[in-house]
Amino acid sequence: MNYQAALDTALNRLHDEGRYRTFIDIERRKGHFPQAIWTKPDGTEKEITVWCGNDYLGMGQHPAVLAAMHEALDATGAGSGGTRNISGTTVYHKRLETEIADLHGKEAALVFSSAYIANDATLSTLRALFPGLIIYSDALNHASMIEGVRRGGGAKRIFRHNDVAHLRELLAADDPAAPKLIAFESIYSMDGDFGPIAAICDLADEFNALTYLDEVHAVGMYGPRGAGVAERDGVMGRVDIINATLGKAFGVFGGYIAAGAKMVDAIRSYAPGFIFTTSLPPVVAAGAAASIAFLKSAEGQKLRDAQQLHARILKMRLRGLGLPIIDHGSHIVPVHVGNPIHCKMLSDMLLDQFGIYVQPINFPTVPRGTERLRFTPSPVHDSGQIDRLVKAMDSLWRHCALNRAEASA
């Protein structure tokens, strides 16, 4: 086999379809987020505004987080020194897991190297804990959940996105005695729509199923203490296992699950993705714990309120221009483009001409034909930055519409 030719074929296919992913080099500078420095391919630098980051509340540069990380770095050094089982559990890890368990009102929590690994490791391990487990998975669940369900083997059922009636049909068709688990999300990040948590919990009660909720894009952002949509809706206690991240609204790195003590102990004891992975550096654990603690407070609520206000303003102004935004009431602002080449072109022009960085979202992250630009306004985007974004989108959208009209004439 000609391996180089095979690689060329695979990469050229991405280029031809307009969905080859380009990483741009940016440097975040403390105290200036969402401003950053873009180093162009020719080595020159340009100041840009980041509009597609997952540091939803700017906690990655918050003084409380940085102070905690400086303290831990000076006290412990850089790395953890091992897996959690072999010298890699410190007071910082235990403090973080205590903060997480308290946040979600659960007996225990378990920290992983990422929310992806937490989903993959937990969902695949549940098969070993509950022989014959049937997993019911929302059709738009994150890739990490899909991988965990697939890798664990065994029976699975895919229900249509947010379709509770379809989920009921699938549950009713299976053996009432079989162990069951429903896996779904609170916010689906590409459209920004909400999962019907209470209705799914009702079905779980009726059919004696466990519930597994991914709150990755909701923790820090919703609820009176930032525990997520389940907290906001008053149903957090009905969810058996909650998965979330430390790398988005909390602004640091890592992922976790929160659940009952026996469930967490079993995952801790059986999941290879946890057992055989070096634990988070203490400095990271310290920063994450400080971020969670801050966002539980009234000051954290001020950030959530400011973020929601900026999201509403941006949606209102883009909608006023006639742009096809997708609005389900969450903090995420997707603008539907529907073509990978056009999507990449808009992204490139925003960056080159206006210093606005928003990454194109193409297949396989979203289905073909639903390509989009996904904006994530934060409390630290000011009115001037919002205004510049809206004017840039207006200019480019009209320009691209005229070009498409001329091409079809």
Side-chain angles (χ1 to χ4, degrees):
M1 181 178 187
N2 186 330
Y3 295 102
Q4 294 301 316
L7 293 174
D8 287 339
T9 299
L11 292 171
N12 287 337
R13 183 165 59 246
L14 295 179
H15 283 287
D16 292 342
E17 294 176 2
R19 59 187 186 94
Y20 179 79
R21 300 182 184 218
T22 302
F23 298 161
I24 76 164
D25 298 331
I26 65 171
E27 180 183 352
R28 287 164 55 107
R29 294 186 174 178
K30 186 176 72 173
H32 295 280
F33 182 77
Q35 297 300 105
I37 299 298
W38 168 37
T39 302
K40 299 181 181 182
D42 63 6
T44 61
E45 294 184 343
K46 180 177 182 177
E47 185 173 55
I48 62 171
T49 305
V50 177
W51 274 102
C52 58
N54 286 334
D55 188 358
Y56 291 138
L57 299 176
M59 291 303 293
Q61 300 193 16
H62 194 278
V65 175
L66 299 185
M69 296 183 78
H70 279 296
E71 183 275 328
L73 180 64
D74 291 340
T76 69
S80 68
T83 65
R84 288 292 297 275
N85 184 54
I86 304 176
S87 80
T89 296
T90 69
V91 293
Y92 297 97
H93 297 87
K94 300 303 291 184
R95 186 180 304 157
L96 173 57
E97 288 172 343
T98 298
E99 283 284 1
I100 293 168
D102 173 74
L103 175 69
H104 292 289
K106 300 299 183 187
E107 293 176 334
L110 193 65
V111 171
F112 292 77
S113 55
S114 72
Y116 187 108
I117 297 300
N119 270 333
D120 184 7
T122 302
L123 286 167
S124 60
T125 299
L126 288 170
R127 303 281 199 186
L129 301 176
F130 306 109
L133 179 69
I134 303 172
I135 297 181
Y136 303 80
S137 180
D138 187 285
L140 293 188
N141 275 344
H142 189 265
S144 58
M145 301 173 77
I146 294 170
E147 179 62 18
V149 172
R150 183 200 65 78
R151 199 164 57 79
K156 66 177 183 291
R157 313 282 185 256
I158 310 301
F159 61 94
R160 291 187 291 270
H161 177 53
N162 280 349
D163 191 332
V164 178
H166 186 217
L167 174 59
R168 167 181 280 281
E169 291 175 13
L170 295 174
L171 287 162
D174 283 320
D175 181 357
K180 302 174 177 68
L181 178 137
I182 305 169
F184 61 111
E185 299 185 37
S186 62
I187 296 181
Y188 292 84
S189 64
M190 291 301 109
D191 282 351
D193 56 330
F194 294 90
I197 303 174
I200 289 177
C201 287
D202 289 343
L203 284 181
D205 291 343
E206 181 179 349
F207 289 93
N208 191 31
L210 296 170
T211 48
Y212 186 101
L213 176 64
D214 182 306
E215 288 259 35
V216 159
H217 289 274
V219 288
M221 306 295 293
Y222 298 86
R225 298 202 309 158
V229 177
E231 182 192 30
R232 183 200 69 178
D233 294 351
V235 295
M236 194 162 58
R238 302 182 65 190
V239 178
D240 294 296
I241 305 172
I242 293 174
N243 164 277
T245 182
L246 302 168
K248 290 184 169 59
F250 294 129
V252 191
F253 181 78
Y256 63 84
I257 61 167
K262 286 186 179 179
M263 182 70 77
V264 169
D265 193 23
I267 298 299
R268 178 189 71 85
S269 301
Y270 280 87
F274 175 81
I275 295 170
F276 299 105
T277 299
T278 299
S279 65
L280 290 183
V283 63
V284 172
S291 184
I292 293 171
F294 180 87
L295 289 179
K296 289 177 182 176
S297 70
E299 291 301 309
Q301 187 59 46
K302 290 179 182 178
L303 288 181
R304 286 188 283 276
D305 291 343
Q307 194 283 328
Q308 290 289 334
L309 175 62
H310 289 175
R312 288 195 299 272
I313 291 171
L314 181 59
K315 290 176 185 178
M316 178 185 66
R317 295 194 61 185
L318 293 177
R319 188 185 293 112
L321 296 175
L323 270 62
I325 71 166
I326 303 168
D327 185 7
H328 295 282
S330 72
H331 61 284
I332 296 168
V333 186
V335 177
H336 181 267
V337 179
N339 179 290
I341 295 174
H342 293 162
C343 199
K344 179 67 165 62
M345 179 178 65
L346 279 168
S347 172
D348 288 346
M349 288 191 295
L350 283 168
L351 185 64
D352 292 336
Q353 298 177 26
F354 298 95
I356 291 170
Y357 175 41
V358 56
Q359 192 75 354
I361 307 295
N362 296 326
F363 178 83
T365 306
V366 295
R368 297 180 193 274
T370 69
E371 291 81 6
R372 67 203 61 186
L373 299 176
R374 177 180 173 273
F375 297 98
T376 53
S378 76
V380 292
H381 284 93
D382 61 34
S383 58
Q385 290 163 340
I386 294 174
D387 193 55
R388 286 190 289 276
L389 169 61
V390 170
K391 289 179 178 178
M393 285 295 290
D394 184 29
S395 172
L396 292 179
W397 201 267
R398 286 187 290 107
H399 171 75
C400 292
L402 288 171
N403 283 348
R404 286 196 294 271
E406 291 172 359
S408 61

